[in-house]
Amino acid sequence: MQQIILMSDPRVAAVPVHECDEPLVDVRLDGSLPVDLRQADRAETFSFLRVGVLDRLIKAQAALPDGLRLLFVEGYRPPALQRHYFEEYSDELRAAHPDWSADRIHVAASRYVSPPDIAPHSAGAAVDLTLVDPDGRELDLGTPMNASPEDSAEACYTAAENIDATARTNRDVLSAALTAAGLVNYPTEWWHWSYGDRYWALATNAKAARYGPCELD
């Protein structure tokens, strides 16, 4: 498995943000992508994304084979909710590993939830998604979406070897379409893709991120 740069890596936080003030749009109202409602009860803003990210998702979907479509699950996440998720998961790790230092907890938590100050979801730059067939049935991608490293024996990692051939093929199809459209994957989560945020900038050698954390009015 390739070396993974985690969200907690200082190189991510060091990337400057040149905010372009691009608006957030509601993917449900756009109608280009099927939208799953599993996150709707956590935040009404789950279906928002920056315009540039949505445009790239539409391009990626058009490149999928055999009538497959992207199933949008979660986009924008308010900073306060992102902080809650990060602290909640950190508390779980702390309870399971009382001997771990604060720094180790922080790094381990960032495999699964981004630190709030640099979170791509809070910039409207990240999306959690999967693939569905022409009848709307989710394809097998090896783990449920949002499976933690602990629950999945790290099969949630995009390049994990402990998944079957069908799941590997489906992940490769998803990755090919999204990468060609300009998005980057967070390698510990096969479902997490982003464009224009700090992690994207570091991964693509861009001079700065286009989108920083924002509040949805």
Side-chain angles (χ1 to χ4, degrees):
M1 192 179 297
Q2 65 182 3
Q3 183 180 8
I4 292 174
I5 297 176
L6 294 175
M7 289 286 184
S8 58
D9 192 301
R11 289 174 290 179
V12 180
V15 173
V17 177
H18 295 169
E19 176 60 58
C20 67
D21 294 322
E22 190 176 280
L24 290 147
V25 293
D26 192 337
V27 178
R28 288 176 293 182
L29 298 181
D30 178 83
S32 300
L33 305 176
V35 176
D36 186 278
L37 300 179
R38 72 186 75 176
Q39 295 294 336
D41 60 339
R42 297 194 178 191
E44 294 181 358
T45 56
F46 82 99
S47 59
F48 282 78
L49 277 181
R50 299 279 189 150
V51 170
V53 183
L54 177 57
D55 288 345
R56 284 163 176 79
L57 292 180
I58 294 170
K59 179 181 178 181
Q61 179 170 261
L64 291 172
D66 304 324
L68 300 182
R69 301 189 73 190
L70 300 175
L71 179 64
F72 176 100
V73 176
E74 185 177 15
Y76 175 72
R77 194 178 290 162
L81 182 60
Q82 182 69 31
R83 184 171 299 280
H84 170 73
Y85 286 166
F86 188 78
E87 292 176 351
E88 182 179 54
Y89 185 51
S90 295
D91 287 344
E92 291 178 14
L93 292 174
R94 197 173 292 111
H97 306 282
D99 56 321
W100 284 9
S101 67
D103 284 346
R104 186 172 181 183
I105 292 291
H106 185 82
V107 171
S110 76
R111 297 172 304 159
Y112 184 56
V113 185
S114 175
D117 52 331
I118 55 91
H121 278 290
S122 295
V127 57
D128 294 340
L129 47 67
T130 188
L131 290 172
V132 292
D133 67 16
D135 296 320
R137 295 180 296 241
E138 289 187 38
L139 272 60
D140 176 16
L141 277 94
T143 73
M145 182 179 292
N146 291 325
S148 70
E150 291 79 19
D151 292 341
S152 67
E154 297 188 353
C156 59
Y157 284 33
T158 308
E161 297 179 355
N162 55 335
I163 60 174
D164 65 26
T166 297
R168 169 54 51 207
T169 296
N170 290 336
R171 288 191 189 186
D172 289 347
V173 167
L174 181 68
S175 295
L178 292 167
T179 300
L183 287 89
V184 300
N185 173 243
Y186 189 42
T188 62
E189 300 176 337
W190 60 260
W191 56 84
H192 177 107
W193 292 80
S194 69
Y195 168 82
D197 61 292
R198 283 181 164 124
Y199 196 87
W200 165 88
L202 183 65
T204 61
N205 295 313
K207 293 182 179 179
R210 293 172 49 83
Y211 313 131
C214 59
E215 295 286 353
L216 183 62
D217 296 330

